[in-house]
mmCIF file of all heavy atoms in Angstrom:
data_model
loop_
_atom_site.group_PDB
_atom_site.id
_atom_site.type_symbol
_atom_site.label_atom_id
_atom_site.label_comp_id
_atom_site.label_asym_id
_atom_site.label_seq_id
_atom_site.Cartn_x
_atom_site.Cartn_y
_atom_site.Cartn_z
ATOM 1 N N LEU A 165 52.867 53.825 126.231
ATOM 2 C CA LEU A 165 52.155 55.032 126.643
ATOM 3 C C LEU A 165 50.674 54.916 126.295
ATOM 4 O O LEU A 165 49.803 55.346 127.095
ATOM 5 C CB LEU A 165 52.782 56.252 125.901
ATOM 6 C CG LEU A 165 52.118 57.591 126.194
ATOM 7 C CD1 LEU A 165 52.109 57.918 127.703
ATOM 8 C CD2 LEU A 165 52.836 58.697 125.441
ATOM 9 N N ALA A 166 50.368 54.353 125.137
ATOM 10 C CA ALA A 166 48.922 54.157 124.780
ATOM 11 C C ALA A 166 48.238 53.255 125.812
ATOM 12 O O ALA A 166 47.116 53.533 126.197
ATOM 13 C CB ALA A 166 48.847 53.568 123.358
ATOM 14 N N ARG A 167 48.918 52.203 126.212
ATOM 15 C CA ARG A 167 48.360 51.291 127.188
ATOM 16 C C ARG A 167 48.272 51.940 128.574
ATOM 17 O O ARG A 167 47.234 51.836 129.258
ATOM 18 C CB ARG A 167 49.192 50.033 127.278
ATOM 19 C CG ARG A 167 48.644 49.007 128.288
ATOM 20 C CD ARG A 167 49.514 47.753 128.371
ATOM 21 N NE ARG A 167 49.453 46.995 127.095
ATOM 22 C CZ ARG A 167 50.476 46.883 126.279
ATOM 23 N NH1 ARG A 167 51.628 47.448 126.567
ATOM 24 N NH2 ARG A 167 50.347 46.203 125.165
ATOM 25 N N ARG A 168 49.336 52.592 128.983
ATOM 26 C CA ARG A 168 49.403 53.170 130.332
ATOM 27 C C ARG A 168 48.282 54.196 130.523
ATOM 28 O O ARG A 168 47.598 54.258 131.525
ATOM 29 C CB ARG A 168 50.757 53.818 130.597
ATOM 30 C CG ARG A 168 50.854 54.636 131.842
ATOM 31 C CD ARG A 168 50.993 53.827 133.104
ATOM 32 N NE ARG A 168 52.264 53.108 133.087
ATOM 33 C CZ ARG A 168 52.580 52.182 133.974
ATOM 34 N NH1 ARG A 168 51.719 51.826 134.930
ATOM 35 N NH2 ARG A 168 53.757 51.559 133.926
ATOM 36 N N GLY A 169 48.163 55.094 129.531
ATOM 37 C CA GLY A 169 47.270 56.222 129.682
ATOM 38 C C GLY A 169 45.895 56.061 129.001
ATOM 39 O O GLY A 169 45.082 56.963 129.095
ATOM 40 N N ASP A 170 45.647 54.914 128.340
ATOM 41 C CA ASP A 170 44.463 54.772 127.521
ATOM 42 C C ASP A 170 44.321 55.962 126.580
ATOM 43 O O ASP A 170 43.265 56.637 126.568
ATOM 44 C CB ASP A 170 43.229 54.582 128.402
ATOM 45 C CG ASP A 170 41.989 54.120 127.589
ATOM 46 O OD1 ASP A 170 42.184 53.472 126.541
ATOM 47 O OD2 ASP A 170 40.840 54.489 127.994
ATOM 48 N N VAL A 171 45.370 56.207 125.815
ATOM 49 C CA VAL A 171 45.397 57.349 124.900
ATOM 50 C C VAL A 171 45.798 56.838 123.492
ATOM 51 O O VAL A 171 46.329 55.713 123.389
ATOM 52 C CB VAL A 171 46.424 58.425 125.343
ATOM 53 C CG1 VAL A 171 45.990 59.050 126.656
ATOM 54 C CG2 VAL A 171 47.820 57.849 125.444
ATOM 55 N N VAL A 172 45.566 57.655 122.495
ATOM 56 C CA VAL A 172 46.036 57.346 121.184
ATOM 57 C C VAL A 172 47.290 58.125 120.921
ATOM 58 O O VAL A 172 47.323 59.387 121.111
ATOM 59 C CB VAL A 172 44.982 57.742 120.105
ATOM 60 C CG1 VAL A 172 45.529 57.493 118.682
ATOM 61 C CG2 VAL A 172 43.717 56.879 120.318
ATOM 62 N N VAL A 173 48.389 57.497 120.575
ATOM 63 C CA VAL A 173 49.697 58.117 120.377
ATOM 64 C C VAL A 173 50.018 58.177 118.882
ATOM 65 O O VAL A 173 49.819 57.179 118.152
ATOM 66 C CB VAL A 173 50.817 57.357 121.124
ATOM 67 C CG1 VAL A 173 52.179 58.004 120.867
ATOM 68 C CG2 VAL A 173 50.516 57.290 122.621
ATOM 69 N N ILE A 174 50.522 59.291 118.423
ATOM 70 C CA ILE A 174 50.875 59.491 117.026
ATOM 71 C C ILE A 174 52.294 60.068 116.943
ATOM 72 O O ILE A 174 52.650 60.984 117.694
ATOM 73 C CB ILE A 174 49.888 60.427 116.320
ATOM 74 C CG1 ILE A 174 48.481 59.794 116.266
ATOM 75 C CG2 ILE A 174 50.390 60.801 114.907
ATOM 76 C CD1 ILE A 174 47.460 60.705 115.700
ATOM 77 N N THR A 175 53.097 59.511 116.066
ATOM 78 C CA THR A 175 54.368 60.101 115.696
ATOM 79 C C THR A 175 54.363 60.375 114.187
ATOM 80 O O THR A 175 53.577 59.776 113.445
ATOM 81 C CB THR A 175 55.580 59.210 116.069
ATOM 82 O OG1 THR A 175 55.566 58.007 115.246
ATOM 83 C CG2 THR A 175 55.538 58.788 117.538
ATOM 84 N N LEU A 176 55.239 61.270 113.726
ATOM 85 C CA LEU A 176 55.194 61.639 112.315
ATOM 86 C C LEU A 176 56.546 62.096 111.811
ATOM 87 O O LEU A 176 57.409 62.472 112.600
ATOM 88 C CB LEU A 176 54.142 62.717 112.085
ATOM 89 C CG LEU A 176 54.344 64.050 112.848
ATOM 90 C CD1 LEU A 176 54.898 65.109 111.926
ATOM 91 C CD2 LEU A 176 53.033 64.536 113.455
ATOM 92 N N ASN A 177 56.661 62.038 110.532
ATOM 93 C CA ASN A 177 57.834 62.600 109.784
ATOM 94 C C ASN A 177 57.372 63.841 109.081
ATOM 95 O O ASN A 177 56.210 63.930 108.623
ATOM 96 C CB ASN A 177 58.434 61.608 108.800
ATOM 97 C CG ASN A 177 58.962 60.372 109.481
ATOM 98 O OD1 ASN A 177 59.244 60.337 110.686
ATOM 99 N ND2 ASN A 177 59.169 59.295 108.682
ATOM 100 N N HIS A 178 58.254 64.821 108.913
ATOM 101 C CA HIS A 178 57.973 66.028 108.163
ATOM 102 C C HIS A 178 59.254 66.517 107.508
ATOM 103 O O HIS A 178 60.364 66.018 107.829
ATOM 104 C CB HIS A 178 57.315 67.084 109.053
ATOM 105 C CG HIS A 178 58.170 67.518 110.174
ATOM 106 N ND1 HIS A 178 59.139 68.505 110.030
ATOM 107 C CD2 HIS A 178 58.270 67.132 111.473
ATOM 108 C CE1 HIS A 178 59.755 68.716 111.186
ATOM 109 N NE2 HIS A 178 59.238 67.870 112.082
ATOM 110 N N ARG A 179 59.140 67.493 106.669
ATOM 111 C CA ARG A 179 60.351 68.024 105.959
ATOM 112 C C ARG A 179 61.245 68.744 106.922
ATOM 113 O O ARG A 179 60.815 69.463 107.859
ATOM 114 C CB ARG A 179 59.891 68.943 104.816
ATOM 115 C CG ARG A 179 59.422 68.171 103.600
ATOM 116 C CD ARG A 179 58.872 69.095 102.532
ATOM 117 N NE ARG A 179 57.573 69.607 102.891
ATOM 118 C CZ ARG A 179 56.850 70.439 102.088
ATOM 119 N NH1 ARG A 179 57.369 70.837 100.906
ATOM 120 N NH2 ARG A 179 55.682 70.831 102.473
ATOM 121 N N LEU A 180 62.564 68.602 106.694
ATOM 122 C CA LEU A 180 63.590 69.141 107.570
ATOM 123 C C LEU A 180 64.617 69.907 106.742
ATOM 124 O O LEU A 180 64.692 69.804 105.501
ATOM 125 C CB LEU A 180 64.294 67.984 108.298
ATOM 126 C CG LEU A 180 63.384 67.109 109.154
ATOM 127 C CD1 LEU A 180 64.135 65.827 109.567
ATOM 128 C CD2 LEU A 180 62.950 67.843 110.416
ATOM 129 N N GLY A 181 65.455 70.642 107.455
ATOM 130 C CA GLY A 181 66.576 71.346 106.797
ATOM 131 C C GLY A 181 66.082 72.255 105.705
ATOM 132 O O GLY A 181 65.029 72.909 105.789
ATOM 133 N N ALA A 182 66.862 72.367 104.632
ATOM 134 C CA ALA A 182 66.505 73.267 103.546
ATOM 135 C C ALA A 182 65.163 72.799 102.910
ATOM 136 O O ALA A 182 64.411 73.628 102.430
ATOM 137 C CB ALA A 182 67.591 73.253 102.492
ATOM 138 N N LEU A 183 64.891 71.508 102.880
ATOM 139 C CA LEU A 183 63.672 71.039 102.320
ATOM 140 C C LEU A 183 62.445 71.553 103.062
ATOM 141 O O LEU A 183 61.360 71.792 102.453
ATOM 142 C CB LEU A 183 63.629 69.495 102.323
ATOM 143 C CG LEU A 183 64.687 68.785 101.472
ATOM 144 C CD1 LEU A 183 64.712 67.274 101.748
ATOM 145 C CD2 LEU A 183 64.423 69.048 99.996
ATOM 146 N N GLY A 184 62.602 71.783 104.364
ATOM 147 C CA GLY A 184 61.482 72.221 105.144
ATOM 148 C C GLY A 184 61.458 73.702 105.476
ATOM 149 O O GLY A 184 60.423 74.295 105.753
ATOM 150 N N TYR A 185 62.674 74.347 105.426
ATOM 151 C CA TYR A 185 62.758 75.683 105.956
ATOM 152 C C TYR A 185 63.574 76.664 105.106
ATOM 153 O O TYR A 185 64.037 77.656 105.612
ATOM 154 C CB TYR A 185 63.318 75.621 107.410
ATOM 155 C CG TYR A 185 62.441 74.743 108.283
ATOM 156 C CD1 TYR A 185 62.834 73.449 108.566
ATOM 157 C CD2 TYR A 185 61.234 75.239 108.749
ATOM 158 C CE1 TYR A 185 62.014 72.635 109.351
ATOM 159 C CE2 TYR A 185 60.385 74.411 109.508
ATOM 160 C CZ TYR A 185 60.798 73.124 109.801
ATOM 161 O OH TYR A 185 59.969 72.335 110.582
ATOM 162 N N LEU A 186 63.726 76.375 103.795
ATOM 163 C CA LEU A 186 64.410 77.309 102.938
ATOM 164 C C LEU A 186 63.505 78.507 102.661
ATOM 165 O O LEU A 186 62.356 78.321 102.202
ATOM 166 C CB LEU A 186 64.828 76.655 101.628
ATOM 167 C CG LEU A 186 65.655 77.558 100.748
ATOM 168 C CD1 LEU A 186 67.066 77.769 101.335
ATOM 169 C CD2 LEU A 186 65.798 76.991 99.344
ATOM 170 N N TYR A 187 64.004 79.691 102.867
ATOM 171 C CA TYR A 187 63.259 80.900 102.601
ATOM 172 C C TYR A 187 63.446 81.293 101.175
ATOM 173 O O TYR A 187 64.527 81.693 100.791
ATOM 174 C CB TYR A 187 63.695 82.010 103.559
ATOM 175 C CG TYR A 187 62.915 83.304 103.454
ATOM 176 C CD1 TYR A 187 61.588 83.364 103.861
ATOM 177 C CD2 TYR A 187 63.537 84.457 102.961
ATOM 178 C CE1 TYR A 187 60.864 84.536 103.761
ATOM 179 C CE2 TYR A 187 62.840 85.613 102.851
ATOM 180 C CZ TYR A 187 61.482 85.668 103.270
ATOM 181 O OH TYR A 187 60.798 86.860 103.179
ATOM 182 N N THR A 188 62.384 81.208 100.369
ATOM 183 C CA THR A 188 62.511 81.526 98.956
ATOM 184 C C THR A 188 61.998 82.938 98.622
ATOM 185 O O THR A 188 61.894 83.298 97.448
ATOM 186 C CB THR A 188 61.726 80.495 98.112
ATOM 187 O OG1 THR A 188 60.368 80.414 98.554
ATOM 188 C CG2 THR A 188 62.387 79.132 98.224
ATOM 189 N N GLY A 189 61.668 83.702 99.639
ATOM 190 C CA GLY A 189 61.314 85.096 99.438
ATOM 191 C C GLY A 189 59.858 85.368 99.568
ATOM 192 O O GLY A 189 58.996 84.515 99.321
ATOM 193 N N SER A 190 59.550 86.589 99.995
ATOM 194 C CA SER A 190 58.159 86.993 100.159
ATOM 195 C C SER A 190 57.385 86.897 98.869
ATOM 196 O O SER A 190 57.848 87.356 97.824
ATOM 197 C CB SER A 190 58.104 88.447 100.654
ATOM 198 O OG SER A 190 56.784 88.886 100.788
ATOM 199 N N GLY A 191 56.276 86.221 98.888
ATOM 200 C CA GLY A 191 55.424 86.055 97.734
ATOM 201 C C GLY A 191 55.803 84.919 96.800
ATOM 202 O O GLY A 191 55.088 84.637 95.856
ATOM 203 N N ALA A 192 56.960 84.293 97.057
ATOM 204 C CA ALA A 192 57.383 83.189 96.164
ATOM 205 C C ALA A 192 56.496 81.991 96.306
ATOM 206 O O ALA A 192 56.161 81.350 95.302
ATOM 207 C CB ALA A 192 58.838 82.816 96.517
ATOM 208 N N ASN A 193 56.103 81.653 97.513
ATOM 209 C CA ASN A 193 55.102 80.597 97.692
ATOM 210 C C ASN A 193 54.523 80.782 99.098
ATOM 211 O O ASN A 193 55.054 81.502 99.958
ATOM 212 C CB ASN A 193 55.691 79.229 97.513
ATOM 213 C CG ASN A 193 56.720 78.827 98.593
ATOM 214 O OD1 ASN A 193 56.353 78.656 99.734
ATOM 215 N ND2 ASN A 193 57.966 78.699 98.190
ATOM 216 N N GLU A 194 53.435 80.120 99.361
ATOM 217 C CA GLU A 194 52.662 80.300 100.592
ATOM 218 C C GLU A 194 53.360 79.734 101.814
ATOM 219 O O GLU A 194 52.879 79.954 102.943
ATOM 220 C CB GLU A 194 51.283 79.689 100.410
ATOM 221 C CG GLU A 194 50.443 80.354 99.341
ATOM 222 C CD GLU A 194 49.153 79.660 99.151
ATOM 223 O OE1 GLU A 194 48.800 78.755 99.957
ATOM 224 O OE2 GLU A 194 48.434 79.952 98.138
ATOM 225 N N SER A 195 54.428 78.973 101.660
ATOM 226 C CA SER A 195 55.036 78.361 102.807
ATOM 227 C C SER A 195 56.490 78.771 102.990
ATOM 228 O O SER A 195 57.228 78.179 103.739
ATOM 229 C CB SER A 195 55.005 76.825 102.666
ATOM 230 O OG SER A 195 55.810 76.407 101.578
ATOM 231 N N SER A 196 56.907 79.832 102.325
ATOM 232 C CA SER A 196 58.315 80.217 102.297
ATOM 233 C C SER A 196 58.934 80.250 103.667
ATOM 234 O O SER A 196 58.559 81.025 104.536
ATOM 235 C CB SER A 196 58.489 81.558 101.604
ATOM 236 O OG SER A 196 59.828 81.870 101.455
ATOM 237 N N GLY A 197 59.915 79.369 103.872
ATOM 238 C CA GLY A 197 60.649 79.273 105.149
ATOM 239 C C GLY A 197 59.976 78.467 106.199
ATOM 240 O O GLY A 197 60.538 78.260 107.270
ATOM 241 N N ASN A 198 58.759 77.991 105.985
ATOM 242 C CA ASN A 198 58.015 77.273 107.020
ATOM 243 C C ASN A 198 57.274 76.032 106.476
ATOM 244 O O ASN A 198 56.331 75.594 107.119
ATOM 245 C CB ASN A 198 56.981 78.242 107.620
ATOM 246 C CG ASN A 198 57.636 79.367 108.375
ATOM 247 O OD1 ASN A 198 58.386 79.130 109.333
ATOM 248 N ND2 ASN A 198 57.390 80.589 107.975
ATOM 249 N N ALA A 199 57.740 75.455 105.408
ATOM 250 C CA ALA A 199 57.037 74.264 104.860
ATOM 251 C C ALA A 199 56.975 73.130 105.869
ATOM 252 O O ALA A 199 55.958 72.426 105.988
ATOM 253 C CB ALA A 199 57.731 73.822 103.591
ATOM 254 N N GLY A 200 58.062 72.960 106.629
ATOM 255 C CA GLY A 200 58.080 71.878 107.633
ATOM 256 C C GLY A 200 57.030 72.049 108.697
ATOM 257 O O GLY A 200 56.433 71.077 109.185
ATOM 258 N N MET A 201 56.787 73.283 109.107
ATOM 259 C CA MET A 201 55.744 73.554 110.099
ATOM 260 C C MET A 201 54.323 73.320 109.472
ATOM 261 O O MET A 201 53.467 72.806 110.187
ATOM 262 C CB MET A 201 55.851 74.985 110.633
ATOM 263 C CG MET A 201 57.157 75.294 111.371
ATOM 264 S SD MET A 201 57.555 74.046 112.688
ATOM 265 C CE MET A 201 56.154 74.257 113.786
#
């Protein structure tokens, strides 16, 4: 794809499941339920 389109392609890993999306409650931390995003 980088060659075909003369573009820079990036893939990535991020937190998933409970590690990324456990809701620890309002005010518990700044990413509660959305750390993976």
Side-chain angles (χ1 to χ4, degrees):
L165 179 57
R167 179 181 296 110
R168 171 78 66 190
D170 191 27
V171 296
V172 177
V173 178
I174 294 175
T175 67
L176 59 102
N177 296 343
H178 61 85
R179 282 175 285 181
L180 301 166
L183 296 171
Y185 302 101
L186 184 72
Y187 184 68
T188 55
S190 177
N193 68 67
E194 297 174 9
S195 66
S196 186
N198 293 302
M201 297 308 298

